[in-house]
Amino acid sequence: MTYLILKVIHILSGAVLFGTGAGIAFFMLRAHATKDPRTVASVGRIVVLADFVFTASAVVVQPISGLALIHLQGYALTEPWLMAAYALYVLIGVCWLPVVWFQWRMVQLAERAAEEGASLPPAYHRLFRAWFILGWPAFAGVIGIYALMVAKPVF
């Protein structure tokens, strides 16, 4: 019973991680496409909140539930497919941490532009490009971890 509960928790937190990431990307892209600082600021505030509430929670739950499942299933922590998953998890984190800061900073820049009745400034667009670029390896990393968890390949 413990195994099944942990597995459900692990799968659900993985779904939250993937789903929130995909949702955040969608909403930020749509807000950005409007070029309207008020829209970017409003949507951006929600996105930042969602990242802290949902993504950050899943980021904590994933390794805890994953390590418990590894133990219960009798796998060695150094199984090659697990080592690959750990590497992808680190890659995702290296991409995600700056993205969270970029989002927060883009909101600030959009709020200032909205208050001044100005367009989104060049600094916003630089951050958006970096946010967009870093999103791809993070997204691919999550898919890679899913593939490893399902297939448990032998290297």
Side-chain angles (χ1 to χ4, degrees), residues 35-41 45 105-125:
K35 298 181 169 100
D36 176 28
R38 284 185 198 91
T39 301
V40 171
R45 282 189 295 273
R105 187 71 185 115
M106 289 184 323
V107 167
Q108 289 181 319
L109 292 168
E111 286 174 337
R112 185 176 309 134
E115 289 168 4
E116 296 171 358
S119 299
L120 294 166
Y124 165 87
H125 292 286

Side-chain angles (χ1 to χ4, degrees), residues 14-155:
V16 166
L17 192 63
F18 183 79
T20 302
I24 282 170
F26 175 79
F27 289 115
M28 281 299 287
L29 286 167
R30 295 299 299 149
H32 174 78
T34 70
K35 298 181 169 100
D36 176 28
R38 284 185 198 91
T39 301
V40 171
S42 179
V43 171
R45 282 189 295 273
I46 295 166
V47 160
V48 169
L49 178 61
D51 239 348
F52 280 109
V53 172
F54 297 108
T55 309
S57 299
V59 164
V60 172
V61 171
Q62 278 289 284
I64 294 168
S65 60
L67 289 171
L69 287 169
I70 291 166
H71 173 73
L72 287 175
Q73 293 177 88
Y75 287 110
L77 290 171
T78 56
E79 295 280 342
W81 65 274
L82 286 171
M83 298 298 286
Y86 307 150
L88 287 172
Y89 198 76
V90 169
L91 170 71
I92 294 163
V94 166
C95 293
W96 178 69
L97 288 173
V99 160
V100 172
W101 184 83
F102 294 163
Q103 290 170 171
W104 175 74
R105 187 71 185 115
M106 289 184 323
V107 167
Q108 289 181 319
L109 292 168
E111 286 174 337
R112 185 176 309 134
E115 289 168 4
E116 296 171 358
S119 299
L120 294 166
Y124 165 87
H125 292 286
R126 283 191 299 275
L127 288 169
F128 180 83
R129 278 190 297 279
W131 173 87
F132 184 82
I133 290 166
L134 285 175
W136 286 104
F139 189 73
V142 173
I143 291 171
I145 290 175
Y146 268 112
L148 288 166
M149 296 299 116
V150 171
K152 296 175 180 61
V154 176
F155 293 96

